Amino acid sequence: MYYDIIKSPIGSILLAGNEKGLKHLIFLKGKKKIEIPVGWIEDKEFFREAARQLEAYFSGKLQSFDLKLAPEGTEFQKSVWKALCEIPYGETRTYKEIAVSIRKPKAYRAVGLANNRNPIAIIIPCHRVIGSDGKLTGYASGLDIKEFLLRLEDGC
């Protein structure tokens, strides 16, 4: 597995992946010093395109990522993550709307858990999912980051 740590307006971000694609995008803000697993190889060149697209996203010049992704999870989680990728830039959906879109209308709590387990934040846009009351709810990396990303996409 290759990795790189890049800078962003919301702190350092760990990218990790292999030839199959990007497997992780993790915000390092507020986390204890991350321990890179033995055997992982730092490789900035491997993530050059991902870093370029993220920089363009943060500067408001990119609305849709074009990267090879390889998230690992259950089939249900992958179906949720696929549905998240269909939420247009600048829009939000509720957990219930995602559940309905994957034909599991009563599974909105499970959708929330799958959303929380998303290994590739931003690119698989779990920040675009909000509560049915329109409020920001749960975000593994903190509601401040979720709010920042939604404001960025809203042009604020």
Side-chain angles (χ1 to χ4, degrees), residues 16-98:
N18 59 22
E19 291 76 12
K20 292 180 181 178
L22 185 64
K23 292 186 171 288
H24 300 281
L25 186 154
I26 302 168
F27 299 108
L28 299 180
K29 177 185 174 201
K31 298 199 180 207
K32 293 181 180 178
K33 184 174 175 3
I34 190 159
E35 293 192 30
I36 304 298
V38 174
W40 282 24
I41 301 164
E42 186 172 12
D43 189 337
K44 290 192 177 303
E45 183 60 27
F46 189 84
F47 296 101
R48 182 174 39 98
E49 181 59 19
R52 185 194 69 73
Q53 288 188 35
L54 284 163
E55 182 179 332
Y57 170 81
F58 284 118
S59 68
K61 297 176 183 168
L62 181 84
Q63 295 185 359
S64 179
F65 292 92
D66 184 20
L67 296 169
K68 191 173 169 185
L69 305 179
E72 294 178 356
T74 66
E75 289 307 311
F76 178 80
Q77 288 171 330
K78 289 178 183 179
S79 72
V80 170
W81 301 335
K82 183 177 185 287
L84 298 179
C85 290
E86 295 168 5
I87 303 171
Y89 180 94
E91 294 185 21
T92 57
R93 298 290 184 271
T94 65
Y95 295 99
K96 184 171 180 120
E97 288 172 323
I98 298 298

Side-chain angles (χ1 to χ4, degrees), residues 57-154:
Y57 170 81
F58 284 118
S59 68
K61 297 176 183 168
L62 181 84
Q63 295 185 359
S64 179
F65 292 92
D66 184 20
L67 296 169
K68 191 173 169 185
L69 305 179
E72 294 178 356
T74 66
E75 289 307 311
F76 178 80
Q77 288 171 330
K78 289 178 183 179
S79 72
V80 170
W81 301 335
K82 183 177 185 287
L84 298 179
C85 290
E86 295 168 5
I87 303 171
Y89 180 94
E91 294 185 21
T92 57
R93 298 290 184 271
T94 65
Y95 295 99
K96 184 171 180 120
E97 288 172 323
I98 298 298
V100 168
S101 78
I102 62 168
R103 295 187 173 97
K104 304 269 188 201
K106 295 184 181 190
Y108 52 90
R109 286 192 177 121
V111 165
L113 291 173
N115 206 46
N116 181 265
R117 300 272 192 277
N118 173 15
I120 308 175
I122 300 175
I123 297 168
I124 297 176
C126 53
H127 61 278
R128 295 180 187 153
V129 183
I130 60 173
S132 59
D133 59 2
K135 293 184 180 176
L136 300 188
T137 58
Y139 193 65
S141 298
L143 288 179
D144 58 327
I145 290 178
K146 183 172 188 165
E147 184 175 11
F148 175 91
L149 296 171
L150 290 173
R151 285 183 187 258
L152 172 75
E153 292 185 10
D154 194 36

